[in-house]
């Protein structure tokens, strides 16, 4: 499943739409037979120009409207991310403005095509065509800010990662350098994708694994779930909150050796914050870097969280068993 905004094409400016419409109308308009009276020939030509210009503008606006998915149909995960980046209300308002412009210009085209049929002089035909053009341009100018906003929105939204919110997901969390990406690579059946993510300086890492639940996604979001939530701004917190809509389990990796550069106490504090924010999701805690552990490293961890799985993502020790524990947490309970 592709993310819902991935196929929104670049949006032309109002000026580009106008230039294209009038150029095509000038070059492609109907050429009446020379045997017709001059005013009839001009009337037919101007009528053709209005019709072509209308079609080009309406088609350009309609393409933009069709490219953007209907916000109400977008999965809550992506809808919340779109709200962070652009603002859902702003997006809906701009798309509504374009719909108004499209419908208005379509009506103007029909109106002036009808008026031109009754034009009795060369001057009247030219005047009506210029009047139609002026009204179309006036409407487009009224929505020029909306068009610019949609182009800016498109540039942000197409960068959202392709995470399928209908598939079960293992969200890997923990401080930087505790071995999250190494774990994702170790348990994925193919090389994980590194997708751009507009809320972090690094790309989100998405791995996949074939299981008896179907394809399960294993996701590491560097820059989001690897430092205290209390230090996050509103945008980052909303981006994190969007993960609540993913059907899955959180796998929190600790580094008791502290070779990641962070004290165990800070890592445990982050775990408490994540438990508070994602209390409705299963959360599995494991200790990584078994290959580097010294006697006593685990004691400080187990005093707070109890006995937990110990793995070495680098060597692969205990990795498969930990994944299977996460998969069991993804399965619905017998009671449903």
């Amino acid at each position: 499943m592709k993310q819902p905004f991935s196929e929104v094409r670049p949006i032309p400016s109002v000026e580009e739409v106008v230039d294209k419409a009038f150029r095509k109308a000038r070059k492609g308009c109907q050429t009446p037979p020379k045997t017709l009276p001059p005013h009839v020939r001009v009337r037919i030509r101007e009528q053709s120009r209005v019709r072509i210009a209308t079609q080009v503008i309406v088609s350009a606006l309609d393409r933009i409207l069709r490219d953007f998915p209907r916000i109400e149909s977008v999965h809550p995960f992506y809808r919340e991310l779109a709200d962070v980046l652009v603002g859902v209300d702003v997006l809906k308002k701009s798309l509504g403005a374009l719909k108004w412009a499209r419908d208005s210009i379509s009506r103007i085209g029909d109106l002036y095509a009808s008026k031109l049929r009754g034009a009795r002089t060369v001057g009247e035909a030219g005047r009506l065509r210029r009047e139609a053009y002026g009204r179309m341009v006036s409407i487009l100018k009224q929505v020029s800010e909306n068009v610019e906003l949609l182009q800016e929105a498109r540039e942000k939204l197409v960068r959202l990662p392709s995470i399928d919110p209908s598939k079960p997901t293992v969200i890997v969390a923990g401080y930087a350098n505790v071995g999250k990406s190494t774990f994702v690579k170790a348990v994925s059946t193919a090389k994980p994708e590194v997708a751009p993510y507009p809320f972090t300086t690094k790309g989100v890492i998405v791995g996949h694994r074939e299981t008896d639940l179907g394809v399960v996604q294993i996701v590491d979001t560097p820059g989001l779930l690897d430092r205290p939530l209390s230090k996050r701004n509103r945008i980052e917190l909303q981006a994190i909150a969007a993960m609540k809509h993913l059907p899955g389990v959180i796998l929190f990796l600790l580094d008791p050796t502290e070779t990641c550069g962070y004290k165990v106490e800070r890592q445990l504090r982050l775990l408490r914050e994540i438990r508070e924010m994602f209390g409705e999701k299963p959360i599995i805690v494991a200790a990584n870097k078994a290959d580097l552990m010294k006697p006593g490293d685990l004691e400080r961890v187990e005093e707070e969280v109890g006995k937990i799985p110990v793995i070495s993502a680098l060597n692969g020790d205990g990795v498969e068993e930990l994944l299977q524990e996460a998969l069991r947490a993804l399965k619905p309970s017998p009671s449903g």
Side-chain angles (χ1 to χ4, degrees), residues 14 34 47 153 167 206 238 249 252 291:
V14 162
K34 292 183 179 180
Q47 201 174 14
K167 289 181 179 176
V206 185
Q238 197 169 345
V249 58
F252 192 92
D291 49 306

Side-chain angles (χ1 to χ4, degrees), residues 78-95:
Y78 278 109
R79 191 160 63 239
E80 190 149 357
L81 293 183
D83 197 36
V84 179
L85 286 173
V86 181
V88 164
D89 290 340
V90 172
L91 195 59
K92 289 166 73 173
K93 183 179 178 181
S94 292
L95 291 169

Side-chain angles (χ1 to χ4, degrees), residues 40-306:
V40 175
R41 293 178 60 214
V42 171
R43 183 180 69 199
I44 293 171
R45 187 186 69 222
E46 299 292 50
Q47 201 174 14
S48 175
R49 289 174 72 179
V50 168
R51 186 169 59 250
I52 291 171
T54 303
Q55 288 172 348
V56 170
I57 294 171
V58 167
S59 176
L61 297 178
D62 201 49
R63 194 213 79 185
I64 297 169
L65 291 168
R66 282 186 285 105
D67 274 5
F68 275 91
R70 196 167 63 88
I71 298 301
E72 290 76 15
S73 68
V74 172
H75 190 280
F77 171 69
Y78 278 109
R79 191 160 63 239
E80 190 149 357
L81 293 183
D83 197 36
V84 179
L85 286 173
V86 181
V88 164
D89 290 340
V90 172
L91 195 59
K92 289 166 73 173
K93 183 179 178 181
S94 292
L95 291 169
L98 258 66
K99 185 178 184 300
W100 168 81
R102 179 199 64 187
D103 295 345
S104 299
I105 288 170
S106 180
R107 286 194 294 269
I108 288 170
D110 291 342
L111 174 65
Y112 279 88
S114 177
K115 284 185 175 184
L116 278 161
R117 279 196 292 273
R120 297 183 179 181
T121 66
V122 169
E124 185 182 7
R127 177 183 62 78
L128 287 169
R129 190 264 303 163
R130 290 190 296 274
E131 195 175 298
Y133 277 14
R135 291 185 63 180
M136 291 179 192
V137 170
S138 176
I139 287 173
L140 286 173
K141 283 183 177 178
Q142 289 182 61
V143 298
S144 61
E145 287 187 9
N146 301 103
V147 172
E148 290 172 8
L149 185 145
L150 287 171
Q151 172 57 11
E152 291 171 5
R154 181 255 171 201
E155 290 175 2
K156 295 175 182 177
L157 294 172
V158 294
R159 295 183 62 242
L160 288 172
S162 290
I163 297 174
D164 189 340
S166 67
K167 289 181 179 176
T169 306
V170 177
I171 301 169
V172 186
Y175 261 93
N177 305 317
V178 298
K180 300 189 300 294
S181 59
T182 306
F183 176 82
V184 174
K185 291 171 186 174
V187 298
S188 300
T189 48
K191 185 178 180 182
E193 304 168 32
V194 180
Y197 205 68
F199 313 101
T200 71
T201 55
K202 299 179 182 179
V204 61
I205 300 168
V206 185
H208 298 88
R209 177 69 175 262
E210 288 283 353
T211 73
D212 56 0
L213 295 171
V215 176
V216 171
Q217 299 170 124
I218 305 145
V219 178
D220 173 27
T221 53
L224 277 184
L225 295 180
D226 63 0
R227 60 189 173 94
L229 304 183
S230 55
K231 295 184 179 179
R232 300 295 184 168
N233 60 37
R234 182 195 62 80
I235 289 175
E236 289 175 313
L237 285 172
Q238 197 169 345
I240 292 168
M243 294 182 202
K244 290 183 178 181
H245 299 293
L246 296 176
V249 58
I250 292 177
L251 177 56
F252 192 92
L253 291 183
L254 290 162
D255 174 10
T257 71
E258 299 181 348
T259 55
C260 62
Y262 301 97
K263 295 288 186 183
V264 164
E265 288 73 20
R266 290 182 65 181
Q267 297 179 56
L268 291 171
R269 194 177 307 128
L270 177 61
L271 172 61
R272 287 193 291 271
E273 289 187 337
I274 286 177
R275 276 180 165 159
E276 186 175 337
M277 188 167 209
F278 293 94
E280 76 288 352
K281 284 190 187 301
I283 298 177
I284 295 172
V285 183
N288 189 27
K289 303 190 181 178
D291 49 306
L292 299 178
M293 282 184 202
K294 302 184 298 295
D297 281 348
L298 269 176
E299 288 180 10
R300 289 171 296 169
V301 171
E302 292 184 340
E303 281 175 9
E304 177 160 339
V305 297

